[in-house]
Amino acid sequence: MTQEARPGDLQYADARNRIESEVERYARQSGRTDLELPKFVFEKGETRFEFLPAEIPQEKILDSLGIIKNHLEHIRVHTLDPGYVVFQSLGSNLYDTKGFLAGIKFKFVSITDNCRIEITRSGNFDQSELQICLELFQFFNPATEERDPTKRLEKLGVTVFAPETPPENIWGPIAGYDSIKKEVEECLLLPARHMSVFEGVARLTRGEGSMNLPGAILFEGPPGVGKTTIARLAASAAGLPLIYVPVENILSKFYGQSAQNLAAIFDNSALFERGILFLDEIDSLATSRESGLFEATRRVLSVLLRKIDGLDRAGGLLTVGATNRAEDLDHALLSRFDQILRFPLPNEQERASIFRSYAGHLGPDALATLGRESEGLSGRTIQDICESAERRWARQLIEKKQALSVPEPETYIRTLREKRATEA
């Protein structure tokens, strides 16, 4: 029976290219250099995805059914014989009997020593069907058993910062932001250093089994105000690894892959006894459902909600999300955060303090002028201005063949004013 083309069907060439790309990526991340590409053909109006696993245990067939049902709603057992099991999709609309038995079929064949898994349908696969093929391929070709969570996460494009010996003043590199520092100490640093005290207070006030340790915190504020730097300093001071996840290392152009990436990052991070998982630009992962979501984005949000709350929350893992636009986050996600810390732009006094941290030779009058004229600038922008002033001064010394010296105050003021002029 020939299946009519569906709106979401993939072109054969596009599906083949994705299979090759995903298998190559999986082989690289999993350490499976022995993997062969699955067979993928389109013949006589039918698409076939086929690979040869080493074995097909009965329990893995049941687990495979779970993988299939994560993507397809209506599945029936077509055949259930020893060594030959077939599942078939009945389509999304059970009331539409047209092509009722032409849905995609999943065959698990182990009658002989040559095991085979074959997935076929009339016409082309759609996004969800191709994702099932890839997930089954990975499921029957498991990764090599790498036990080091840092190495596992690095394969996923995640950077793990091991804790360093903190200086006497742990906030040394961060000028100003005294209220933010105090809040971070209370909700992140002190609970990590003195867990028994926080647990004891909760037990005395609310009874046995009560907890007062945060599982998820949201850092909100404009770019350049120190969200990432403060998280890293606090993690080092607490003696915990900081697991830094840039959002681009989660998002994938392939259907379902972003949710899979995110789940793998959480699962591997949970292998640390304790740690801080820092999700940068979390608004790119979990925008409000009220604005309308693509199905792939909905899957990512579902994973995120599940992993930072409820039964899937890892006990020793603190999730810190960073966003420039908290108003864009889904309301269900916002409710999962135990605390929201808002990072404002620095005020005049704080801006002068930030200038002093990068140009300690400047006097009070110059710092006051710089603090007053830099309204609306972030700490990162102030750092850029100071570094630009240094380069300008170094060039002047070279051109005029002058002795080494520190930049004059006017160099910083002029660089700041030129920066403001370009923004106007």
Side-chain angles (χ1 to χ4, degrees), residues 161-177 180-181 184-185 188-190 192-193 219 225-244 276 278 343 358:
F161 295 99
E164 302 172 353
T165 303
E168 186 174 339
N169 175 18
I170 64 169
W171 303 120
I174 300 291
Y177 296 108
I180 286 292
K181 293 171 183 175
V184 172
E185 288 176 359
L188 193 158
L189 180 54
L190 291 177
R193 281 179 165 178
F219 287 3
V225 294
K227 299 187 292 293
T228 304
T229 303
I230 281 182
R232 186 172 179 182
L233 292 173
S236 273
L240 301 177
L242 180 74
I243 304 158
Y244 179 75
I276 296 174
F278 190 88
F343 287 62
Y358 292 110

Side-chain angles (χ1 to χ4, degrees), residues 197-210:
V197 176
F198 281 77
E199 291 176 339
V201 170
R203 185 171 60 252
L204 291 174
T205 56
R206 290 182 278 125
E208 290 294 332
S210 298

Side-chain angles (χ1 to χ4, degrees), residues 231-285:
R232 186 172 179 182
L233 292 173
S236 273
L240 301 177
L242 180 74
I243 304 158
Y244 179 75
V245 186
V247 69
E248 62 267 21
N249 289 354
I250 297 176
L251 298 178
S252 170
K253 64 181 179 180
F254 297 132
Y255 180 86
Q257 189 61 53
S258 299
Q260 193 175 352
N261 291 345
L262 182 59
I265 288 170
F266 267 95
D267 292 343
N268 284 292
S269 298
L271 297 176
F272 288 103
E273 183 177 354
R274 295 169 67 202
I276 296 174
L277 178 62
F278 190 88
L279 298 172
D280 205 1
E281 299 181 66
I282 197 172
D283 43 274
S284 298
L285 297 175

Side-chain angles (χ1 to χ4, degrees), residues 19-273:
I19 288 169
E20 293 176 356
S21 174
E22 287 293 282
V23 171
E24 180 183 348
R25 181 196 62 81
Y26 179 70
R28 184 174 61 252
Q29 292 183 352
S30 65
R32 290 295 305 272
T33 56
D34 59 329
L35 283 182
E36 294 184 4
L37 281 173
K39 188 175 183 180
F40 185 67
V41 297
F42 184 85
E43 296 176 341
K44 298 180 180 179
E46 181 180 80
T47 302
R48 183 170 81 256
F49 179 99
E50 180 183 305
F51 63 96
L52 309 177
E55 57 179 351
I56 306 180
Q58 192 70 27
E59 61 272 15
K60 279 205 166 188
I61 295 178
L62 294 176
D63 291 337
S64 297
L65 180 58
I67 292 173
I68 295 167
K69 286 189 68 64
N70 282 338
H71 299 275
L72 300 179
E73 188 175 1
H74 305 299
I75 299 293
R76 73 165 183 147
V77 178
H78 180 285
T79 306
L80 189 59
D81 293 332
Y84 187 72
V85 176
V86 182
F87 302 126
Q88 181 180 30
S89 168
L90 299 179
S92 58
N93 185 358
L94 291 179
Y95 297 101
D96 182 4
T97 58
K98 185 179 180 181
F100 190 69
L101 300 179
I104 188 168
K105 291 181 180 178
F106 303 87
K107 302 176 184 179
F108 300 82
V109 184
S110 56
I111 299 174
T112 66
D113 291 337
N114 298 320
C115 299
R116 183 176 88 257
I117 294 178
E118 181 182 303
I119 303 168
T120 60
R121 74 159 296 119
S122 179
N124 290 309
F125 289 162
D126 64 17
Q127 292 273 16
S128 59
E129 292 164 346
L130 185 60
Q131 182 64 26
I132 296 170
C133 294
L134 291 167
E135 290 185 19
L136 288 176
F137 179 78
Q138 294 176 15
F139 179 61
F140 282 91
N141 291 283
T144 55
E145 193 57 32
E146 171 61 67
R147 297 185 179 277
D148 185 345
T150 297
K151 292 181 179 178
R152 288 188 175 192
L153 287 163
E154 286 174 349
K155 290 179 180 179
L156 293 166
V158 175
T159 302
V160 179
F161 295 99
E164 302 172 353
T165 303
E168 186 174 339
N169 175 18
I170 64 169
W171 303 120
I174 300 291
Y177 296 108
D178 291 337
S179 61
I180 286 292
K181 293 171 183 175
K182 183 178 179 181
E183 288 189 88
V184 172
E185 288 176 359
E186 290 180 355
C187 70
L188 193 158
L189 180 54
L190 291 177
R193 281 179 165 178
H194 307 283
M195 185 180 298
S196 61
V197 176
F198 281 77
E199 291 176 339
V201 170
R203 185 171 60 252
L204 291 174
T205 56
R206 290 182 278 125
E208 290 294 332
S210 298
M211 297 287 288
N212 191 19
L213 299 174
I217 301 171
L218 182 66
F219 287 3
E220 178 200 359
V225 294
K227 299 187 292 293
T228 304
T229 303
I230 281 182
R232 186 172 179 182
L233 292 173
S236 273
L240 301 177
L242 180 74
I243 304 158
Y244 179 75
V245 186
V247 69
E248 62 267 21
N249 289 354
I250 297 176
L251 298 178
S252 170
K253 64 181 179 180
F254 297 132
Y255 180 86
Q257 189 61 53
S258 299
Q260 193 175 352
N261 291 345
L262 182 59
I265 288 170
F266 267 95
D267 292 343
N268 284 292
S269 298
L271 297 176
F272 288 103
E273 183 177 354

Side-chain angles (χ1 to χ4, degrees), residues 348 352 355-356 361-373 409-410 413 417:
E348 181 177 331
F355 272 106
R356 184 173 62 246
H361 62 287
L362 296 180
D365 291 343
L367 290 172
T369 299
L370 290 166
R372 183 175 60 255
E373 294 193 15
E410 185 59 34
I413 295 171
R417 288 172 177 170

